[in-house]
Amino acid sequence: MTPRDSSCGCSAGSSTAAPRSGTGDTAPCTCTGRSPRGRAWAELLRLPALFSVPGDALAGTAATGAAPNARTLLAIGSSLCLYEAGMALNDWADRDIDAVERPHRPLPSGRIRPAAALTAACALTGAGLALASRAGRPALAVAAPLAATVWAYDLGLKHTPAGPVAMAAARGLDLLLGAAATTGRTRPALPSAALLGTHTLAVTTVSRQEAQGGTPLAPLAALATTALLTRVVTHRPSERRGTTALGPLGPGATRPPGPVLGRKPAAHLSPARPRQESGMAVTTALAAAYVAATARPYFHATLNPSPPLTQRAVGAGVRATIPLQATLTARSKGTATALLIAALAPLGARFAKKVSVT
């Protein structure tokens, strides 16, 4: 459920591609670790990207107004399994292309057998569906089309115009999975799913030109999408017109010329207002973190849509999923959960210094 990148797993947190030879092949990965086989699986599954997954279910739960519970944890486990199934299946489906364009990847380099990657994809898909079924029928009703979308993307839609839309749908369904598992309802979470899916659509569109570069239109559109999403998630509905401390004014009524004896000012009539102000401040701060994560890489890729800068923009877009999830959660009055999601960002960045997130 994340766009793939052509950067090497040893990029030390950077999305810059390894040096290319005259034939266009990337240099093989030269990093070493305690377990070369474990390293290969970490690269295949892009393990640091897992930090961008729990926020989907948590944001979906917050959108329903419910608190996370045991079924939410089952939804997160299901999401993690289906996400990793997509990663393994992605490399299995692209093994012939990677043999030419990315020979350092685990399958073309021979560090992992194609049959093992396909087996892992099947097993992880089964595990994801099993966990969803434990969370209840509503959760399974969302997880099943989510799994189908992941497989359809990797096996057929990825290289078609429908690819970015399928990827966006997968992210949106993943958010709805949390709502369905926790409360059995998905309708309240549809707006949040649409916003998260729009971000994913923009990132995936940019990723389609990361190997050879392309036009500045895709990163420019992603930059505009970031601005639009930020405006939407931080928009504060204005108070109803014609409302006073005494209540809504009826047709033809006039506002009292001064304060009414025995009445406190309107600001003191709502004990929840300080909490609302605090929640809005957290939402704004998290939205600013979302913009900070994406604006500069998108802008640089717009000025120079070369493969290295485009890859860097894609990596930034994937990592920015976490602050966007946190913003959506805070916007739904889930401040504590939003801060928990935001804390995953530095952890993901730390592990991404060892294995690329894309």
Side-chain angles (χ1 to χ4, degrees):
M1 287 174 282
T2 181
R4 66 172 299 151
D5 185 12
S6 60
S7 57
C8 178
C10 61
S11 57
S14 169
S15 295
T16 305
R20 298 177 181 269
S21 65
T23 61
D25 294 342
T26 46
C29 179
T30 58
C31 25
T32 59
R34 293 183 179 180
S35 173
R37 183 173 179 80
R39 171 91 193 184
W41 278 100
E43 290 180 30
L44 177 73
L45 300 176
R46 297 168 176 85
L47 291 184
L50 286 179
F51 289 95
S52 72
V53 177
D56 288 346
L58 293 173
T61 298
T64 65
N69 55 30
R71 291 190 300 274
T72 311
L73 295 179
L74 289 172
I76 292 175
S78 176
S79 296
L80 291 172
C81 289
L82 294 177
Y83 188 95
E84 291 292 46
M87 290 296 165
L89 186 64
N90 179 82
D91 275 30
W92 179 84
D94 278 0
R95 61 193 185 279
D96 293 335
I97 298 175
D98 286 346
V100 177
E101 297 182 353
R102 290 171 280 266
H104 62 272
R105 291 295 300 164
L107 267 60
S109 65
R111 290 178 290 156
I112 295 178
R113 293 182 296 107
L118 181 60
T119 301
C122 294
L124 287 166
T125 300
L129 293 175
L131 288 171
S133 67
R134 290 289 303 273
R137 289 185 178 180
L140 183 59
V142 176
L146 171 57
T149 302
V150 170
W151 279 72
Y153 174 83
D154 284 332
L155 297 182
L157 299 178
K158 183 190 316 179
H159 303 296
T160 71
V165 177
M167 183 68 74
R171 250 323 163 174
L173 286 170
D174 201 37
L175 187 146
L176 295 179
L177 177 58
T182 305
T183 67
R185 299 178 291 115
T186 59
R187 181 172 296 181
L190 288 175
S192 293
L195 293 173
L196 186 61
T198 300
H199 166 78
T200 305
L201 176 65
V203 179
T204 309
T205 301
V206 176
S207 74
R208 293 168 73 87
Q209 61 182 41
E210 63 182 352
Q212 291 83 26
T215 70
L217 295 179
L220 180 60
L223 185 61
T225 300
T226 298
L228 176 62
L229 292 177
T230 304
R231 175 70 180 91
V232 171
V233 298
T234 58
H235 176 65
R236 186 174 187 177
S238 58
E239 295 185 0
R240 293 174 57 186
R241 296 182 60 184
T243 302
T244 69
L246 295 176
L249 293 174
T254 59
R255 188 181 300 276
V260 180
L261 294 178
R263 298 283 186 177
K264 293 183 179 181
H268 297 284
L269 292 179
S270 177
R273 179 161 296 190
R275 292 195 298 271
Q276 293 173 353
E277 295 290 344
S278 175
M280 191 62 196
V282 173
T283 301
T284 302
L286 292 171
Y290 168 60
V291 173
T294 56
R296 187 174 180 180
Y298 285 163
F299 181 69
H300 287 171
T302 300
L303 295 179
N304 178 14
S306 61
L309 291 181
T310 301
Q311 292 157 16
R312 190 169 300 154
V314 173
V318 173
R319 290 187 292 271
T321 302
I322 297 177
L324 178 57
Q325 293 164 338
T327 304
L328 293 171
T329 303
R331 178 173 175 257
S332 301
K333 299 180 176 60
T335 304
T337 305
L339 295 177
L340 175 63
I341 296 173
L344 297 175
L347 293 175
R350 178 181 179 183
F351 283 96
K353 293 180 179 180
K354 299 180 179 180
V355 178
S356 176
V357 300
T358 54

